Amino acid sequence: MLIDRVRTRGGQAYPDSLYVDQLVSTPPARVALRDDLKIDVAVVGAGFTGLSAALALAKVGIDCAVLEANAPGWGASGRNGGQLNPGLKYAPGQVRKDLGERAMRMSQNAADLVFELVEEQGIACDIRRGGTLRAAVDQGTLADLHALARSAQAEGFDYQMVSRDEAAAMTGSTRYTGGLRDPKGGQLNPLKYVLGLAAAAERAGARIYGDTPVLGAEDTGGRWLLTTPQGGVSAKAVLVATNGYSGTLVPKLARSVLPVYSAIIASKPLPPAMRSRIAAGGESVFETGAITTYYRVDSEGRLIFGGRGAMADRSGPGAFPSLAAYAEYLWPGIGAVGWEYGWNGRLALTADHYPHVHQIGARGFACLGYNGRGVAMATVMGQEMARVLASTLTGAAHVPAFPVSPIRPIAFQPAWPMGVNPSLALAKAKQWFRNRRG
């Protein structure tokens, strides 16, 4: 079923999801820009990155405005799995080797920043620190987790290996050969969080315009000139923070990532017996096999269960039968509880699985590519980009923690959707052979 159901909140439409129904108050309407605007910094995109950057800029007195094509949190920031995972895909030692000490420390401490920001700004988003559990599906992935634990511990991080029995006790499933727990991880309601960031940025002095797609951007040398359907913006500097929903505004940017759809189904509140054994400690769980599956139990006792789905917009509790079938495999009888919601959205994968920072002109930047770790990493990268932008305005020296790289389109990226199903089949086959060898 296509996403033909939307929920209107504050006069703006959001794709149908559990998170929209869980809003306890109506967010204020962010009206479209209808005049010409002259500011210090224009931010394109009102997701975690853009709003975190706007908040940080406004707090130091820099005049900024956020231009959003739909509504704050309309994209992946308001639709994701709500997992607050520290770190990046690779071991801390590898990240330090590839990107440097600051990038490694920043990524490992990203979840801490979110907890601090939520407390500082009083954001009610059902945040909970139950740890992140990487669950191994075979002996090969368990060996990978042991190597990751050694690397993390060598860098001073408290990663904890868990046994097969301990993993079963944490997840309520006997599927796993063991796991690796990072106690700094957690979970939250992502739509409540992103709307809380928007409100905090506005309190600090930033302006947010909804229903304001940026149709064009020109670097005139001294200022950026942005065009929107009903108004224009003149800014000293620009940050493009559109991630998996990047279009043609910045040449080649959309082709530098793979816009992968991630799907989520949400159950009715679990009965007490299931709630007491499935991620009962508030853990955010994700599997480390060839095909990523992730889940958590939210503040209402609902199982939020996600993974790969159709490479097109879908919604409804029956829209992702493969996810429901796999959940039934993990917890026989879970389907009888009832799936009440289903939705999906696009995240951005980079070729090297690291976030990318690109410079566009003298005072223009783009930041994207969180590879499924957007809640924490997009927040911290927004703050880092605010420091970069502030330094370009003031002349202060600030070397970005993540390297600035040229935009490199991924070969055959436009054909990616056609190759997804064969790629997934190949990945499953590789995992099957790996299990047989194990």
Side-chain angles (χ1 to χ4, degrees):
M1 178 167 52
L2 295 175
I3 288 188
D4 54 5
R5 296 189 300 166
V6 297
R7 303 296 176 94
T8 301
R9 293 291 186 271
Q12 292 174 320
Y14 285 90
D16 187 25
S17 75
L18 166 66
Y19 303 141
V20 179
D21 280 354
Q22 288 179 325
L23 294 178
V24 296
S25 60
T26 300
R30 272 81 185 198
V31 299
L33 177 67
R34 293 186 173 88
D35 299 302
D36 290 339
L37 188 64
K38 189 173 183 179
I39 52 175
D40 292 330
V41 177
V43 178
V44 183
F48 295 138
T49 305
L51 293 171
S52 176
L55 172 58
L57 289 166
K59 286 169 68 174
V60 297
I62 293 176
D63 186 21
C64 65
V66 182
L67 309 174
E68 164 60 43
N70 296 285
W74 182 90
S77 293
R79 306 188 214 175
N80 66 78
Q83 295 202 338
L84 192 49
N85 298 328
L88 297 168
K89 176 179 179 178
Y90 302 113
Q94 185 63 49
V95 177
R96 178 167 48 78
K97 179 181 178 181
D98 293 342
L99 303 180
E101 180 79 13
R102 287 175 57 215
M104 184 271 286
R105 297 286 169 186
M106 183 177 291
S107 62
Q108 286 294 323
N109 295 325
D112 288 341
L113 171 69
V114 175
F115 279 98
E116 293 165 5
L117 194 57
V118 165
E119 182 177 4
E120 172 193 295
Q121 297 297 330
I123 300 174
C125 58
D126 307 323
I127 194 167
R128 181 180 183 186
R129 179 163 263 166
T132 293
L133 177 66
R134 305 183 195 216
V137 297
D138 55 35
Q139 290 299 322
T141 53
L142 184 62
D144 293 341
L145 293 183
H146 276 287
L148 176 57
R150 289 191 295 270
S151 175
Q153 290 161 1
E155 299 291 346
F157 300 109
D158 186 25
Y159 282 29
Q160 305 158 355
M161 291 299 303
V162 301
S163 68
R164 180 190 293 270
D165 289 344
E166 290 170 327
M170 288 181 181
T171 64
S173 173
T174 58
R175 164 82 165 112
Y176 308 114
T177 55
L180 178 62
R181 182 176 181 270
D182 184 345
K184 296 202 299 182
Q187 63 168 281
L188 48 66
N189 180 305
L191 183 56
K192 289 182 180 180
Y193 174 54
V194 74
L195 291 174
L197 283 179
E202 288 176 322
R203 287 195 302 270
R207 285 166 280 181
I208 301 174
Y209 297 95
D211 298 324
T212 305
V214 178
L215 306 177
E218 179 185 2
D219 181 8
T220 65
R223 299 188 72 88
W224 280 87
L225 301 180
L226 281 65
T227 56
T228 76
Q230 301 180 70
V233 178
S234 172
K236 295 178 183 177
V238 169
L239 172 63
V240 177
T242 47
N243 205 45
Y245 291 86
S246 298
T248 59
L249 181 64
V250 178
K252 302 180 182 179
L253 183 64
R255 292 187 58 193
S256 72
V257 297
L258 297 177
V260 175
Y261 277 82
S262 188
I264 297 173
I265 53 177
S267 73
K268 295 179 180 179
L270 299 176
M274 283 187 171
R275 190 169 182 177
S276 67
R277 66 185 180 90
I278 300 176
E283 298 89 353
S284 289
V285 183
F286 67 91
E287 297 182 356
T288 57
I291 309 301
T292 301
T293 301
Y294 53 90
Y295 52 89
R296 64 186 178 92
V297 175
D298 75 356
S299 62
E300 295 181 351
R302 298 173 183 270
L303 177 65
I304 311 296
F305 193 82
R308 291 286 181 88
M311 289 292 290
D313 291 336
R314 297 285 188 270
S315 74
F320 309 106
S322 61
L323 285 181
Y326 187 57
E328 187 70 22
Y329 169 72
L330 293 178
W331 306 285
I334 192 77
V337 175
W339 299 105
E340 198 165 14
Y341 294 87
W343 68 94
N344 68 355
R346 294 204 301 263
L347 55 87
L349 299 183
T350 56
D352 58 6
H353 297 284
Y354 286 133
H356 286 180
V357 177
H358 307 297
Q359 185 161 2
I360 311 159
R363 290 178 173 174
F365 295 90
C367 181
L368 77 171
Y370 303 112
N371 301 280
R373 293 174 173 269
V375 179
M377 280 309 303
T379 300
V380 74
M381 290 302 289
Q383 290 204 352
E384 176 66 0
M385 294 313 299
R387 289 186 283 268
V388 171
L389 291 161
S391 70
T392 66
L393 297 178
T394 63
H398 179 78
V399 178
F402 283 71
V404 177
S405 62
I407 299 174
R408 295 188 178 94
I410 296 173
F412 307 110
Q413 188 263 14
W416 166 252
M418 294 182 288
V420 169
N421 288 336
S423 297
L424 292 181
L426 178 60
K428 290 178 180 178
K430 287 180 178 178
Q431 182 148 331
W432 184 86
F433 281 113
R434 189 176 187 177
N435 291 345
R436 295 281 292 177
R437 289 198 301 271

